[in-house]
Amino acid sequence: MASSSTSVVVSNKEKENKNTKKVTLKSSDGESFEVDESVAMESQTIKHIIEDGCANNEIPLPNVTSGILSRVIEYCKKHKEAAGESEPSVTSYTSNSTTNPLTEWDTEFVKVDQNTLFDLILAANYLDIKGLLDLTCKTVADMMKGKTPQEIRETFHIKNDYTPEEEAEVRKENQWAFE
Amino acid sequence: MAEMKRCTNIDRISNLPWDVLDTILVHIPLKEAVRTSILSSKWRYKWTGLSRFNIDDKCFPSYLSDKVLRWKVILKIIHQVQSNHGGPVEKFRLAAYCMPNHCDLDQWIWFLTDKGIKELILKEFDSIKRFKLPPEVFSCPQLSCLELYGCIIMLSPTFRGLNSLISLNLSHIYISCDTLESLIANCPVLERLTLINIDHSTVFKISNLNLKYLKIDSKFEDICLKSVPLLSTVDIRLRVKPRHSDQGKACNLVRVIGCLYSINKLILSSNFLEFLAYNDVPERLPAMLNHLLTLDLRDARLDSSKVVKVLLSILCSSPSLEELIISVSPLCRYTFLDFQRSECLVGLYFNKLKVVKIRGLLSTNHECEFIKFILAHSPVLETITIVTYGGEIIPNSVLLQFEPASEHVKVISLRS
């Protein structure tokens, strides 16, 4: 009995039209953002607020400005969408872990100025969004890798407050790392 | 989007909350993380508070090849961490060529267990099998991943189990049968177990209600998989020729594999297949392996009729099989795929089989018949890849004669 060679995938677009629950997030500078509850719940912090029943009208986020919040929401939307469309992962212990289909999108997403990057890190930390925190932290790590200490200072505007004697002491203390 | 003009020369990294900075620094090699000590006075000891330490050969300059000196460096790192570390240490990995002082190492492990270590990886010691691992490791409440190489494991009499251990990897370890059995049985959330080159254990007795993945590559005389209801993947290679077992005992295939009702993936290698073949192999297992999706035979001695019987018996017992992979041992001068003797098999259809890969064929008649049989009995087959060693590849003219049951099957025939 021959089977058909293609299988039908239920389109997620069909689900969009259903009545989805929404929540409103309010940034520190007073702007309101209405998002799907499921997207907002990418943030563990928000998830707990909703689950504790404290999300009546709006959820205030006093630590996040509107500019950053809109970016965070963009990230959550994109990742929620992708999670919904991918096939359930088949645990295959001999193959490598599934590659992230959003790698390119993520790379573009973090192409921002340093200030915005750090704002995103702090927002991801406060909102407890693991994927975003890992992504932004890894981006900063990549900015540090392979650079000399002076180069790192310049990149991140770190002021060297060691006296020459102190600096020599530290170098000696961790000699192996500087060779 | 209009954004407020901000001064862009502020040092925002030095004041990040520690757990965030830690998340950044664990992504750079340890050597570079330690170099941050020179950035400013604030940074001097930040690196000692890292939650993860990975000490490997990259930490050492290439000229430092003396293993004693290398340990001195490691000791320096360890001491600095011990003096300054505030929070928990989640992961410690030591995989470098060095010669550890066992006293120091004991002390460090004490420190780590105190710090709630979750992932401990100790590899590549100089004095293989002489390092006795401090039993404290086995009372670490938060240990979730343990990977050990080259030490002696003994459990203290007060051993109660590792309640958080999810993954256990033991390689070149000296451990007795009973200790191993006890260790495995007392890890209630264990999911992955890997045993490579285990000494002093002649019989592996594995019993764990949560175990999902098992890999063994070792010498052993016998193996017993009891009470492993969730075991999903089994990958076993036996490193020695199996001893002839006593007559009158149950067939090894039935005893060891036949009870793995939830198995999804079976990878069986060379001598282990011979081991399974001992004592009369039935045409079919007493109970079907309804969830077996992948059967992967490696280094298979298909010149042994017994081993072929093992293959056929499993095939007859796996109605849900989706992937069949067979690698014939290069030691075979001929193959004995006498499948037509199996009444069970001849009438069987592989209704879920999608992928077949057979490598190491010798283009014998038996083999051609077997391939023809597979093609004719696999209605949903998508690809079949055949690789012959030396000799002729199965000619296209022969392949074209086969009448596959599946309309869209792709037949790939290669020569290695």
Side-chain angles (χ1 to χ4, degrees):
Chain A
M1 198 171 6
S3 69
S4 58
S5 49
T6 53
S7 53
V8 177
V9 173
V10 175
S11 165
N12 273 322
K13 302 227 191 285
E14 292 173 11
K15 296 182 185 167
E16 261 177 42
N17 297 326
K18 289 199 192 147
N19 239 348
T20 41
K21 250 179 131 188
K22 307 246 187 232
V23 290
T24 309
L25 308 173
K26 193 156 173 195
S27 68
S28 60
D29 46 343
E31 226 181 288
S32 293
F33 296 82
E34 199 191 41
V35 289
D36 285 350
E37 193 181 87
S38 59
V39 168
M41 302 234 281
E42 290 279 290
S43 150
Q44 292 299 306
T45 308
I46 294 178
K47 182 166 184 268
H48 291 144
I49 294 175
I50 294 176
E51 284 171 351
D52 288 347
C54 304
N56 295 322
N57 305 314
E58 290 188 326
I59 301 179
L61 301 172
N63 292 355
V64 193
T65 62
S66 55
I68 296 301
L69 186 54
S70 67
R71 281 185 206 264
V72 171
I73 291 171
E74 200 190 324
Y75 175 91
C76 294
K77 262 198 194 141
K78 189 74 185 183
H79 277 249
K80 187 76 199 172
E81 234 172 65
E85 277 174 12
S86 63
E87 287 170 20
S89 59
V90 176
T91 324
S92 170
Y93 289 101
T94 51
S95 71
N96 295 325
S97 55
T98 51
T99 45
N100 181 2
L102 288 177
T103 311
E104 270 184 55
W105 190 90
D106 280 350
T107 310
E108 285 305 308
F109 182 79
V110 286
K111 281 190 180 155
V112 291
D113 65 86
Q114 220 185 91
N115 257 325
T116 309
L117 186 59
F118 281 110
D119 284 337
L120 282 171
I121 288 181
L122 293 171
N125 188 42
Y126 168 64
L127 293 170
D128 198 354
I129 306 172
K130 187 172 187 310
L132 182 57
L133 186 61
D134 283 347
L135 173 63
T136 46
C137 283
K138 189 154 193 303
T139 306
V140 175
D142 288 342
M143 285 161 77
M144 290 176 83
K145 263 194 230 179
K147 289 200 164 91
T148 65
Q150 185 51 28
E151 285 168 346
I152 296 178
R153 286 193 198 110
E154 279 163 22
T155 307
F156 295 103
H157 319 293
I158 303 173
K159 187 166 185 307
N160 180 2
D161 59 351
Y162 281 126
T163 66
E165 295 81 28
E166 283 170 341
E167 197 172 317
E169 210 180 291
V170 176
R171 257 181 216 274
K172 192 159 168 236
E173 202 172 72
N174 299 314
Q175 200 178 350
W176 63 276
F178 290 100
E179 277 161 357
Chain B
M1 170 177 347
E3 293 198 291
M4 294 200 309
K5 194 91 204 290
R6 274 193 283 191
C7 177
T8 47
N9 286 336
I10 311 175
D11 171 6
R12 293 193 64 182
I13 191 171
S14 305
N15 296 320
L16 284 176
W18 169 246
D19 50 348
V20 173
L21 191 54
D22 179 65
T23 309
I24 295 173
L25 293 178
V26 295
H27 281 121
I28 68 179
L30 184 61
K31 197 169 177 175
E32 292 189 43
V34 174
R35 283 212 285 258
T36 63
S37 56
I38 204 96
L39 292 175
S40 77
S41 58
K42 234 188 177 147
W43 282 85
R44 187 162 180 175
Y45 296 112
K46 279 195 200 275
W47 71 269
T48 61
L50 283 174
S51 63
R52 299 162 86 90
F53 292 92
N54 180 12
I55 302 180
D56 59 19
D57 288 321
K58 292 191 210 123
C59 288
F60 304 100
S62 46
Y63 64 79
L64 192 65
S65 52
D66 180 276
K67 53 194 181 210
V68 174
L69 290 178
R70 280 180 161 215
W71 179 249
K72 285 214 157 83
V73 171
I74 295 175
L75 205 54
K76 232 181 162 188
I77 300 172
I78 289 176
H79 282 159
Q80 277 182 296
V81 174
Q82 276 178 298
S83 322
N84 294 303
H85 206 286
V89 179
E90 265 185 32
K91 175 175 172 177
F92 180 73
R93 178 174 178 262
L94 174 59
Y97 173 67
C98 62
M99 185 153 123
N101 172 307
H102 295 159
C103 210
D104 293 324
L105 196 57
D106 262 4
Q107 228 218 355
W108 173 240
I109 292 178
W110 262 104
F111 174 79
L112 288 175
T113 55
D114 214 29
K115 286 285 179 184
I117 186 97
K118 287 190 190 149
E119 262 185 76
L120 179 62
I121 301 166
L122 298 175
K123 282 173 130 176
E124 280 185 56
F125 286 139
D126 168 65
S127 45
I128 291 186
K129 294 172 194 165
R130 284 198 284 133
F131 171 55
K132 189 161 152 230
L133 197 70
E136 284 67 47
V137 172
F138 297 100
S139 43
C140 253
Q142 280 149 322
L143 198 61
S144 76
C145 167
L146 181 60
E147 195 177 319
L148 301 168
Y149 180 102
C151 51
I152 303 172
I153 294 180
M154 290 199 209
L155 297 175
S156 77
T158 54
F159 173 67
R160 295 253 193 77
L162 284 168
N163 291 327
S164 309
L165 196 68
I166 297 177
S167 165
L168 179 62
N169 184 323
L170 304 176
S171 186
H172 295 79
I173 300 282
Y174 186 95
I175 186 172
S176 74
C177 302
D178 291 339
T179 307
L180 184 57
E181 187 186 355
S182 178
L183 180 55
I184 297 169
N186 286 303
C187 296
V189 298
L190 191 66
E191 288 183 16
R192 300 180 63 101
L193 175 63
T194 304
L195 302 171
I196 300 182
N197 233 348
I198 306 293
D199 246 5
H200 206 62
S201 280
T202 47
V203 179
F204 289 135
K205 287 187 225 156
I206 295 166
S207 167
N208 185 295
L209 296 175
N210 202 53
L211 194 65
K212 301 193 170 82
Y213 171 86
L214 173 66
K215 180 178 159 112
I216 300 179
D217 182 353
S218 183
K219 296 183 200 169
F220 55 89
E221 284 182 15
D222 197 6
I223 178 169
C224 180
L225 301 174
K226 217 171 33 159
S227 305
V228 283
L230 297 183
L231 195 55
S232 151
T233 300
V234 163
D235 177 350
I236 301 183
R237 158 170 289 205
L238 176 56
R239 285 199 178 191
V240 281
K241 279 239 167 281
R243 285 218 305 230
H244 283 277
S245 88
D246 315 311
Q247 291 304 317
K249 274 177 92 181
C251 165
N252 283 343
L253 174 64
V254 172
R255 185 172 58 83
V256 180
I257 305 291
C259 55
L260 302 177
Y261 304 127
S262 43
I263 197 84
N264 292 135
K265 189 166 182 174
L266 270 180
I267 303 173
L268 310 169
S269 303
S270 67
N271 292 320
F272 188 58
L273 285 169
E274 284 178 49
F275 169 85
L276 292 175
Y278 274 130
N279 299 333
D280 301 313
V281 178
E283 274 202 10
R284 201 171 69 184
L285 295 170
M288 300 295 254
L289 299 176
N290 285 317
H291 305 280
L292 185 62
L293 303 175
T294 301
L295 179 62
D296 186 345
L297 303 186
R298 299 185 179 173
D299 231 5
R301 294 299 298 257
L302 294 187
D303 51 355
S304 152
S305 60
K306 283 179 158 228
V307 170
V308 172
K309 276 192 186 165
V310 169
L311 163 62
L312 301 181
S313 181
I314 300 176
L315 283 180
C316 287
S317 320
S318 313
S320 309
L321 198 67
E322 291 181 8
E323 204 182 354
L324 174 63
I325 306 171
I326 303 175
S327 285
V328 181
S329 164
L331 296 171
C332 294
R333 292 267 162 265
Y334 62 89
T335 56
F336 195 78
L337 277 165
D338 197 12
F339 66 96
Q340 278 137 341
R341 287 247 192 112
S342 166
E343 282 177 23
C344 229
L345 189 67
V346 168
L348 205 59
Y349 279 84
F350 304 106
N351 291 319
K352 301 268 170 71
L353 193 60
K354 296 204 185 98
V355 175
V356 174
K357 291 183 197 160
I358 311 182
R359 66 185 314 127
L361 290 185
L362 304 159
S363 301
T364 64
N365 275 336
H366 267 167
E367 289 167 4
C368 288
E369 288 301 313
F370 184 66
I371 295 165
K372 193 171 174 188
F373 167 76
I374 298 277
L375 282 169
H377 286 240
S378 310
V380 299
L381 194 61
E382 289 170 11
T383 58
I384 172 165
T385 310
I386 304 158
V387 182
T388 35
Y389 283 166
E392 300 286 306
I393 53 170
I394 296 178
N396 276 336
S397 53
V398 174
L399 286 173
L400 287 170
Q401 279 173 32
F402 297 165
E403 289 153 356
S406 162
E407 283 175 16
H408 304 285
V409 68
K410 195 165 154 197
V411 180
I412 305 166
S413 182
L414 305 165
R415 179 173 42 197
S416 171

